[in-house]
Amino acid sequence: MIALDHLSLSIHGTQILRDVSLDLAPGEIMGLVGESGSGKSMTALAIMGLLPQGARATGAIRLDGADLLTQSEAQLCAMRGNQIGMIFQEPMTALNPVQTIGDQVAETLIIHGKANRAEAQRIARDRLDRVGLSQIALARFPHELSGGQRQRACIAAAIARNPRLLIADEPTTALDVTTQAQILDLLKSLVTHEGMALLLITHDLAVVADMADRIGVMQSGQIVEMGPTAHVLAERRHPYTAALFAASSHRPTRTAQPAPEPLLRVANVIRSYPGPRRGLRRGPAVAAVNDVSFTLHKGESLGLVGESGCGKSTLTRAILGLDPVQGGDIQIFGQSIVPRMPAALRAGIQVVFQDPYGSFNPRWRVEKIVAEPFHLLANAPQGRARRDRVAEALSAVRLSPGDMVKYPHEFSGGQRQRIAIARALITRPKILVLDEAVSALDVSVRARILDLLAALQGELGLSYLFISHDLTVVRAITDRVLVMQAGQIVEEGPTTQVFDAPQHPYTRQLITAAPRLPDLERAHI
């Protein structure tokens, strides 16, 4: 149905894609995998005719024999949504925040003149029902939906006109494991029932292991290996494919051992929010965190896992002293932070967020970004001593002290996360809270960041509270794990014990939903 024939692409003279050739048949799922910057998304944008200014493409992209590279913008507009639909990685930026989801799903039908407003709304209702949002009203706005629901709304918009090819660009990267499994099952059922082709773009081989009929592995703008999924995963003929396979289940070497000294105690913490308004009154309060207790020891890595909305982030904000609690106590280094955290304690507990670029001021140089937490210190270093401390922090995360004169946009995603870790280390804390700190990174960069965290823990004796929906990461880096559901800890224990012999049904559900690579030996098929 669609074929790329020796597609090459350059942007302002810089080569991006080199002789990319692939084809998809109706009802086929193809996985396109590779690191960030390998050319996966640019391949998708080339198919959609959404290349940036300064792009020059050669070769051919044929849809039923017609070369899309030679089509006019008007012809491409008629093709987008009708013949080819696309789901982007971040639904909150793909959706219009001031437009209802019903209007956004109906928009494609109205623009293409396939239905009037009333008919388009009826079809929008049908598409939202089909993707599992039958309980969501058409009048809801994107901010009123969860991450998984927003991604389902994007899928509904993409399939509004029953396109023949659906391109899904990292559609599950930021989702928890159960929501990810639901989205992948949804995409698979759409292919089965609609007969469309699916190009699934991801950095994780485990995501496509059970989904794709064929896999193409991209590196530096080229497809270095392609074939049936089972064949590629078993053979791994190209060294890059083997490296991706290894990185997907990488476990860093850890030397730090937990000590009996408790640094963080959470005792019977309750954090609730006002209930929904019902006329002039509000309903009963909603407990986001309900009677949670645990202890983090010196040198220990403690994992906190659970679905989106289970209360992980609310609990994290309470531990960081950013949100008050209605009950219980939180002690850091033996001192209570309830009702508010003493200023002297803030330097001892630092946080690394999921999106480093979103937590940086893009107008600041790295030196100022890394030195920002110095305001927490009573006697912050000045002048040369200040620069030396920044250089020390950058060296600790394996960056060059010379990088302090650069801006955030000059670094890759993995390098920006290293800068975020350096900023967290600048006050020489004892506890690092890592909030989905590697969730948005591709598997090879993720493996390097995990190695770095393990090394830093051994060198500096740090304690980690590792919050993540990625169970592979939690298993690799933590000593103990807490499983959270609906604001409560439903299971806890040594990581290996919880993962190998889960006791609670919810834990078993999470582990079953997590994508995993098949345990294949290298063999010729």
Side-chain angles (χ1 to χ4, degrees):
M1 181 187 69
I2 191 163
L4 277 62
D5 186 11
H6 297 286
L7 175 66
S8 294
L9 173 68
S10 62
I11 300 178
H12 296 297
T14 300
Q15 198 71 29
I16 306 297
L17 301 178
R18 297 175 177 83
D19 288 325
V20 174
S21 296
L22 60 88
D23 58 83
L24 281 97
E28 182 182 22
I29 300 176
M30 180 169 182
L32 194 59
V33 301
E35 295 175 291
S36 298
S38 62
K40 308 185 303 297
S41 294
M42 202 57 68
T43 300
L45 293 176
I47 295 173
M48 293 292 293
L50 296 174
L51 293 173
Q53 287 188 349
R56 181 176 179 273
T58 59
I61 302 173
R62 295 191 175 90
L63 177 64
D64 294 332
D67 187 359
L68 300 184
L69 294 181
T70 63
Q71 302 290 298
S72 66
E73 180 61 22
Q75 290 172 315
L76 290 174
C77 284
M79 174 270 299
R80 298 186 195 113
N82 268 329
Q83 300 291 325
I84 304 176
M86 187 165 179
I87 307 163
F88 295 94
Q89 176 176 348
E90 178 44 63
M92 201 56 180
T93 56
L95 294 170
N96 187 332
V98 297
Q99 192 176 20
T100 66
I101 60 167
D103 285 343
Q104 294 188 63
V105 175
E107 187 176 30
T108 301
L109 299 160
I110 296 171
I111 287 176
H112 286 289
K114 301 300 181 181
N116 58 33
R117 181 172 177 78
E119 179 66 10
Q121 289 285 319
R122 187 194 65 77
I123 296 174
R125 179 72 273 167
D126 173 73
R127 298 298 184 267
L128 288 169
D129 291 348
R130 189 179 301 181
V131 299
L133 294 181
S134 56
Q135 78 283 11
I136 302 298
L138 295 179
R140 297 282 285 276
F141 288 89
H143 72 272
E144 298 179 283
L145 308 182
S146 69
Q149 289 172 332
R150 285 195 290 265
Q151 194 61 285
R152 288 171 184 265
C154 286
I155 295 172
I159 66 169
R161 283 285 301 133
N162 294 319
R164 301 172 62 200
L165 170 64
L166 185 61
I167 302 173
D169 188 4
E170 302 277 11
T172 62
T173 297
L175 303 178
D176 61 67
V177 288
T178 51
T179 305
Q180 174 177 262
Q182 292 164 5
I183 294 297
L184 293 176
D185 285 344
L186 169 62
L187 291 173
K188 200 168 186 177
S189 68
L190 287 172
V191 170
T192 302
H193 294 107
E194 302 293 335
M196 66 177 67
L198 174 64
L199 179 61
L200 180 60
I201 296 171
T202 180
H203 60 249
D204 196 341
L205 282 168
V207 170
V208 298
D210 266 344
M211 280 279 294
D213 302 303
R214 289 186 298 138
I215 290 178
V217 182
M218 286 197 79
Q219 181 188 28
S220 302
Q222 295 178 298
I223 293 182
V224 297
E225 188 166 358
M226 181 180 288
T229 300
H231 184 92
V232 171
L233 293 180
E235 286 279 324
R236 288 164 264 158
R237 291 184 176 182
H238 196 277
Y240 181 70
T241 309
L244 282 180
F245 191 95
S248 294
S249 53
H250 177 74
R251 294 192 184 184
T253 302
R254 300 179 60 231
T255 57
Q257 295 296 324
E261 178 186 348
L263 298 184
L264 169 66
R265 291 182 188 271
V266 176
N268 308 111
V269 164
I270 297 172
R271 171 63 171 137
S272 59
Y273 294 101
R277 188 174 291 279
R278 297 172 180 172
L280 298 177
R281 298 182 179 181
R282 288 190 178 275
V286 178
V289 177
N290 188 9
D291 197 26
V292 168
S293 300
F294 65 86
T295 302
L296 175 66
H297 297 94
K298 182 177 180 180
E300 182 183 32
S301 286
L302 180 63
L304 181 61
V305 302
E307 294 176 292
S308 298
C310 71
K312 302 191 304 294
S313 296
T314 299
L315 179 60
T316 303
R317 291 180 62 82
I319 291 170
L320 293 170
L322 301 176
D323 274 356
V325 298
Q326 282 79 36
D329 191 29
I330 301 173
Q331 293 186 6
I332 297 177
F333 317 128
Q335 297 185 53
S336 176
I337 65 168
V338 176
R340 61 180 58 86
M341 182 183 288
L345 296 184
R346 290 194 178 274
I349 180 168
Q350 293 291 299
V351 62
V352 180
F353 296 101
Q354 176 177 350
D355 179 13
Y357 202 66
S359 66
F360 293 163
N361 187 327
R363 297 182 179 182
W364 286 5
R365 296 182 189 272
V366 166
E367 178 183 359
K368 189 173 182 180
I369 289 171
V370 174
E372 185 179 8
F374 275 146
H375 75 275
L376 299 172
L377 302 179
N379 297 303
Q382 302 295 328
R384 180 61 180 270
R386 182 186 182 93
R387 289 180 61 86
D388 287 345
R389 283 280 291 274
V390 172
E392 176 188 329
L394 290 173
S395 297
V397 298
R398 296 11 173 202
L399 291 175
S400 167
D403 289 330
M404 69 174 70
V405 300
K406 298 179 182 178
Y407 291 93
H409 71 267
E410 298 180 72
F411 297 89
S412 67
Q415 289 172 326
R416 285 197 288 265
Q417 198 60 287
R418 288 172 185 263
I419 295 169
I421 296 171
R423 179 175 61 179
L425 294 176
I426 197 71
T427 59
R428 295 172 180 165
K430 296 179 181 179
I431 300 174
L432 277 192
V433 177
L434 299 138
D435 188 5
E436 302 283 8
V438 297
S439 296
L441 303 177
D442 62 60
V443 288
S444 54
V445 175
R446 182 181 73 189
R448 292 193 288 270
I449 294 296
L450 291 179
D451 283 338
L452 171 65
L453 291 172
L456 289 173
Q457 189 171 47
E459 294 166 9
L460 305 176
L462 296 168
S463 298
Y464 292 150
L465 178 58
F466 212 104
I467 299 145
S468 180
H469 62 251
D470 192 328
L471 302 189
T472 303
V473 169
V474 171
R475 185 163 194 162
I477 197 70
T478 62
D479 303 296
R480 287 190 301 127
V481 64
L482 310 173
V483 182
M484 197 168 186
Q485 181 190 28
Q488 296 181 309
I489 303 298
V490 297
E491 187 166 355
E492 61 180 298
T495 302
T496 303
Q497 176 183 311
V498 170
F499 276 75
D500 291 345
Q503 300 300 306
H504 196 276
Y506 179 69
T507 309
R508 291 195 288 270
Q509 177 187 336
L510 286 179
I511 293 172
T512 301
R516 61 178 60 85
L517 285 168
D519 187 16
L520 298 171
E521 297 294 329
R522 292 182 63 85
H524 291 282
I525 296 178

